[in-house]
Amino acid sequence: MVALPFCLMIFAILELALVFVTDSVLENATIETGRLVRTGQASAQGMSASSFKTAVCSRMSVFSADCATRLSVDVRVIPQFNTTPPDPMTSGNFNEGALTYSNGQPGDLILVRAWYKQPLLTPFMAQGLSRLNDGTVRMTATTAFRNEPG
């Protein structure tokens, strides 16, 4: 009688730990890859949205296997740091069409955002953590910076 709730609770704790580890890895990968844009290396290499996504995925360590299908990136020039960009997670759906990619020019303010889709197996965890209708969690990592002068 006690074993089933106990096992469910242990599984939920392990799944939540996986979410936190994945979120931390995503945050670090986004910051490290964003540095390529900030230093001008992305422009020099002619980096596109797909190559930026590949670079983020290469820094996702143990989560890199499914990264290409689960990751979405948005890199855009913003006029000032307090700008609120459009949210692609509206009305329970994720709108890939709202995402853009631009390396910007030296001195531009850049906003880098990455979303990683993490499916959840525990039903009550999906209800509590998901903003989307498909029951997945979209972890997000964001960094903003001014491109270094050329």
Side-chain angles (χ1 to χ4, degrees), residues 11-25:
F11 187 71
I13 290 170
L14 291 174
E15 190 167 43
L16 189 59
L18 178 65
V19 167
F20 281 127
V21 168
T22 307
D23 188 53
S24 178
V25 170

Side-chain angles (χ1 to χ4, degrees), residues 73-131:
V73 296
D74 181 60
V75 180
R76 64 179 63 217
V77 177
I78 55 175
Q80 52 191 349
F81 281 119
N82 64 357
T83 300
T84 304
D87 185 9
M89 290 194 294
T90 55
S91 7
N93 297 315
F94 190 84
N95 181 11
E96 294 270 346
L99 306 180
T100 62
Y101 184 86
S102 173
N103 290 321
Q105 299 297 319
D108 282 349
L109 295 176
I110 304 291
L111 178 67
V112 177
R113 300 183 296 172
W115 292 269
Y116 187 81
K117 180 171 54 171
Q118 180 72 31
L120 297 175
L121 302 174
T122 311
F124 60 88
M125 293 282 286
Q127 291 171 352
L129 294 176
S130 181
R131 287 178 45 195

